[in-house]
Amino acid sequence: MSEPIQDAVAILSMACRVPGAASPEELWGNLAAGVESISELSDAELREAGVPLRLLRDPAYVKAWGVLRGGDLFDAGLFGFTPREAERADPQQRLLLECAWEALEAAGYGQEEQAGPVGVFVGADDSDYLAGAPADMEEMIGSGTSFVATRISYKLNLSGPSFTLQTACSTSLVAVHLACRSLLDGECDMALAGGVSLHLPEARGYRYQEGGIYSPDGHCRAFDADARGTVGGHGAGVVLLKRLEDALADGDAIRAVVRASAVNNDGAAKVGFTAPSVDGQARVIGEALALARIDAGSIGYVEAHGTGTPMGDPIEIAALTQVFRAATDRRGFCALGAIKTNLGHLGSAAGVAGLIKTVLALEREAIPPSLHFRAPNPRIDFAASPFHVNARLAPWPRNGAPRRAGVSSFGIGGTNAHVILEEAPVPDAAVTAGDWHLLLLSARTETALDAATERLAGHLAEHPEQDLADVAFTLQAGRRAFEHRRFAVGADLSAAAAALRHGPARKRPAGTPEVAFLFPGQGAQRAGVGRELYAREAVFRAEVDRCCEILRPPLGFDLREALFSGDDERLRPTAVAQPALFVLEHALARLWMSWGVQPSALLGHSVGEYTAACLAGVFDLPAALELVAARGAMMQALPGGAMLAVPLAEAELAALLFPGLAIAAVNAPGRCVASGPDAAIAELEERLRERGLPGRRLATSHAFHSAAVEPILPAFAARVRRVGLQEPRIPFLSNVTGDWITAAEATDPGYWARHLRATVRFADGVRRLAEEPRRLFLEVGPGDALSALARQTLGPLAGREAAVPSLPRHRGGEGRPEIASLLDAAGRLWLAGTRLDWPALHGGPRRRVPLPTYPFERRSYRLRRPSQAVAEPVLREEESGGIEEILARQLALISRQLDLLAETE
């Protein structure tokens, strides 16, 4: 990729709601097909909208408008509006708020908290939503266009500069200019820019007036010989902007680049306030080209203001030609078009609509037709100019240089804006690992979650070119997390799309959960467990390497050879099994912690308590490894024994024991472990069999937690005395007491000797942990035994998210690799409300890619007042023909007011 363009701004995303299209993609479909989205309105719908019958009978009344259907609809709950607040808020505020949300999400920045300040630069038409003065503060804020930008900043938690501006028809392109300047000045890291024009009722027409800007037949014929004006329309558009160098560094998807922009005013050098000026327009276009440091000859397309008025169009072409002729004598090389021929004049949103159209054309490498062009306006000599009106869909070749375009927007009163766009830089090839990834979805309601699921699954099926890792990252880091949640784990787009529809879903409980780490004891180890994580996860690999290097002298060999050999026999000896289990648990715990899952409490089972104590800071890592190696070696030297899992409660098992046997562990209600010599365990097995109770031998070589270990207790206590012991920094449960360990116990060498002999009171520890109702249990080690025991202890209401295993019971369980199991665990923690560090989980930079945005659940919010009738749109004229025309316009305004008052049948 080439070096970033100096002082350039990236357009990351776009959102729009315009006549005939609810998204930029739908808009492109209409533009490319040459669709005119102006509605021909019936008398019935105009009467229903409140248009007086006298107006409808007027031959000059044109029954056409760029209608935005559903302008009264809004997802109030998503934005925290009460129904009353939503009803009293101007629909312009509501619509622009939804577009701002979509723009952030479309760029992958829809999370609740942004990393830096995000600015808001928007404008809206004057509000006519309320009849008369606002009744209270709520109505004043809801109807006041002064609050459009700050309402967005407040509702979306954006802390950058927040400006509402109004320069008539050029408002939204001026907003883009100001947003770019704010970014380049360092005031914000991203910026939303755009505008809205929407009035209720949506259906409306206008009275044609000779010499005005509105067309006599409801069609806009920009630059055509028959052009006699434009037609009104409603719509909204928002773009999200970011400094180009930052966007490239952050791996953002870039839709186009703003090379430069400029704004000026005509001043008094024109025939009237509403008239356009050749000199003013030429100056702003020339300034934008100069700031962009490019030649006008490199511009392949200009999205014109293009109102289709007999005087305005020639003035615009004269200004463009004046600027371009200073750089080139070529003729007809630059295409010209105007979106007003498709949508009508969108008022404050007109400029951003043209900008969005031009970005789409750059992306699609094609220029859509400007409609209704048959023969040029006789005042325009296109043959001698650099321009031609593009009347049909045409390919846009690059011709060895980046595609570039200009976008113009000129406001009544003379504020002119021009933006120079360039196609997005070609991104580096995506790095596709072919690995498993975790996809997350959430919504406020179950129905919205189902809709989001279908939209995303359909999108993945339609876009096989997207990288699954980027999709996963965008969903994880670029979306808000709502109550209703679903996740899926997949290794490719098609599998992920299928898994989404059947992925686990639940409503997240209130509050933020705590997570307790559970560490298994001996018997959980399996050869080969962790091998895939060792190859894939740098944090896990570094911790395993560190531990194994420390253990090399006491063990006399490299433990990694036994861990990843695939030979269970090499891990069976206690002297190897216990250090191996500690290494796996410690490395896995550090991996989880690097992913942002910080334990609030710890509980280990037997030797697993050493992992807990090490993480809590009682032992440093070398000391913990030394003790675990010594513990394993001492136990290995003892006579052999056996352990038997028994489906009985503690008191019931105690009644069956005979000399030589001990209760080694109380794991769950009706789940205990007996320990003793082989012969005694065999006899206990037989007695249980006679009662119809199955016992299960554990994969251990000795009778742990029984009288068999007593000979090594003094020597082990002496070994513990040689290492430093510190008070725990993270609370953990004692196996000996089944309660929170005290500082005195944790730092007492005698405690660790007793720990070898005493019954493991795991079930009691789980109950103590469960006294915090929002605490989740994460099993950090091989298998799912502790998760199952914890769920049994917690009772029948404990769901799968209450106790989650990290790794499968056996290596690659059910054909799924370890990373898939680990991501499934991460998904279940997230379902329950746990926050994870998603960039850390990916272990490196990822791109944010365009994905379907939130499926708004809109309903109608329309403030109705008994005496309120539709107000005819104000005619905004762009040229003045002298005092006679001014007087005519004043008389027309008076006539319209009389018509509205009449409203007679």
Side-chain angles (χ1 to χ4, degrees), residues 485 508-514 774 832-834:
R485 302 184 175 192
R508 178 184 67 82
T512 302
E514 297 179 2
R774 291 290 294 122
T834 303

Side-chain angles (χ1 to χ4, degrees), residues 90 116 208 213 324 347 504 507-508 587 706 710 826 838 866 893:
D90 189 318
Y208 169 70
I213 71 161
F324 274 59
K507 183 177 181 181
R508 178 184 67 82
S706 74
E710 291 176 359
W838 301 115
L893 288 171

Side-chain angles (χ1 to χ4, degrees), residues 151-232:
R151 195 94 178 237
I152 293 172
S153 296
Y154 172 67
K155 289 295 184 180
L156 301 186
N157 191 27
L158 308 177
S159 61
S162 191
F163 289 97
T164 301
L165 56 138
Q166 177 52 252
T167 62
C169 320
S170 61
T171 293
S172 54
L173 205 63
V174 172
V176 171
H177 167 78
L178 293 177
C180 289
R181 296 313 315 165
S182 182
L183 284 166
L184 295 174
D185 289 344
E187 293 179 330
C188 53
D189 292 337
M190 293 191 295
L192 292 164
V196 61
S197 172
L198 176 62
H199 305 274
L200 299 183
E202 299 94 323
R204 56 184 56 212
Y206 58 90
R207 181 189 282 106
Y208 169 70
Q209 180 183 355
E210 187 68 33
I213 71 161
Y214 283 114
S215 159
D217 61 359
H219 300 289
C220 178
R221 297 176 171 83
F223 311 112
D224 190 75
D226 293 332
R228 296 176 68 189
T230 189
V231 58

Side-chain angles (χ1 to χ4, degrees), residues 586-611:
H586 171 80
L588 190 55
R590 290 298 182 189
L591 179 60
W592 276 116
M593 293 167 76
S594 76
W595 289 357
V597 182
Q598 302 298 327
S600 66
L602 309 163
L603 172 59
H605 191 288
S606 188
V607 70
E609 190 166 325
Y610 283 78
T611 314

